[in-house]
Amino acid sequence: MSVKLLLKSDVTRVEVIGYGHSFPLNFSIVAPYTESSFIEELIIQEFGTTRLDPNRLYSFLSNDSLVQSKFEGPELVSGSLSDDHKENQSSNFNSQALGEKLVLCGLLSEEDLEELLDKFQPYSNTQRFGEFLRLNLNIPFQILDFFLTKSLASLDFNSLKLGERLSNLGLVSQSSVERALEHQRINGGRIGDILVAQNAINRQLTDFFARLQLNEYGQFVI
């Protein structure tokens, strides 16, 4: 599937094109070098990646003051901003138990979850699984709170950059994010790719939390 967005000015045009078999899509910029570098840098600064949900990207291009100061639009030229499969996937994720959420985001394997559930059985009459995980320090407490109570909603989770999301959730240390940002400043690249290359986090977690959103009802959208 593909999506094409168009930004126009009096003197130039920028095509923002996404390709992929499912959402999120990998976006590339087709434009003269100056304009393409400008748009790509803004996207990377905002999201830490160019692999995005088209609706998120369209919203960003529509509202960012720097984009709007130079271009009209954006205009959806082809494709769709929504994905029925994604809506079903989000619905399924929201209905999952805590343990399954931790597997789907990439924090646990199925084998890890089975082992933890076995250990939890003697305490199942007196504790909830989340409390068991918190007391046994198997999982960062921040991410347990997030999945159970949407605890980062007050920080406007959707506006947080990937490094901020991961550090706030206890998935990487602030020092790891700072090292990755320094590497990015010197060498370029995507913050998620850098953190993975530095063995600070696994790829599934970075991809999941790069695309995760909270909708107006506090539900997870992936």
Side-chain angles (χ1 to χ4, degrees):
M1 64 182 67
S2 66
V3 171
K4 181 187 290 187
L5 304 175
L6 177 64
L7 297 168
K8 296 186 294 185
S9 71
D10 293 337
V11 296
T12 191
R13 55 190 282 140
V14 176
E15 293 181 349
V16 185
I17 304 173
Y19 296 98
H21 297 294
S22 62
F23 287 22
L25 302 178
N26 292 306
F27 279 89
S28 59
I29 316 298
V30 179
Y33 177 77
T34 301
E35 288 82 0
S36 64
S37 297
F38 171 72
I39 294 298
E40 183 171 10
E41 183 177 353
L42 289 178
I43 293 171
I44 293 294
Q45 287 178 349
E46 178 69 16
F47 300 107
T49 180
T50 55
R51 186 169 184 262
L52 295 166
D53 182 310
N55 193 54
R56 289 183 69 194
L57 181 57
Y58 182 88
S59 177
F60 169 71
L61 296 174
S62 298
N63 295 291
D64 183 79
S65 58
L66 289 175
V67 175
Q68 292 302 298
S69 70
K70 295 182 179 295
F71 299 99
E72 302 172 9
E75 174 187 345
L76 177 63
V77 177
S78 63
S80 172
L81 298 178
S82 62
D83 181 17
D84 292 339
H85 171 71
K86 177 184 169 182
E87 292 176 5
N88 291 334
Q89 185 181 24
S90 297
S91 176
N92 290 338
F93 184 84
N94 282 289
S95 66
Q96 293 291 340
L98 174 62
E100 286 300 325
K101 285 186 171 76
L102 297 173
V103 171
L104 290 168
C105 78
L107 195 58
L108 294 178
S109 68
E110 289 285 358
E111 292 76 16
D112 292 333
L113 178 59
E114 289 179 8
E115 182 178 343
L116 285 168
L117 288 172
D118 285 341
K119 292 179 179 179
F120 170 63
Q121 285 306 309
Y123 308 98
S124 59
N125 290 328
T126 59
Q127 288 182 348
R128 294 183 178 181
F129 188 51
E131 294 170 335
F132 171 81
L133 293 176
R134 185 194 297 271
L135 290 171
N136 287 272
L137 302 178
N138 289 295
I139 305 295
F141 73 89
Q142 299 97 319
I143 199 166
L144 296 176
D145 286 347
F146 180 63
F147 281 143
L148 291 169
T149 68
K150 318 296 192 305
S151 58
L152 294 184
S154 61
L155 296 179
D156 190 6
F157 179 81
N158 293 349
S159 70
L160 296 179
K161 296 179 180 179
L162 178 58
E164 295 171 326
R165 293 182 177 197
L166 298 176
S167 61
N168 273 292
L169 290 168
L171 297 171
V172 297
S173 66
Q174 184 59 39
S175 61
S176 294
V177 174
E178 290 172 357
R179 285 195 298 271
L181 289 171
E182 179 64 14
H183 183 283
Q184 183 186 57
R185 185 185 68 80
I186 297 171
N187 302 294
R190 302 172 182 175
I191 195 71
D193 293 339
I194 297 168
L195 287 167
V196 171
Q198 293 178 343
N199 295 316
I201 196 169
N202 70 51
R203 169 66 62 187
Q204 187 176 346
L205 278 166
T206 60
D207 287 352
F208 180 89
F209 285 103
R211 67 178 186 269
L212 185 68
Q213 296 280 287
L214 290 175
N215 67 18
E216 60 186 308
Y217 305 108
Q219 297 171 319
F220 296 109
V221 179
I222 56 177

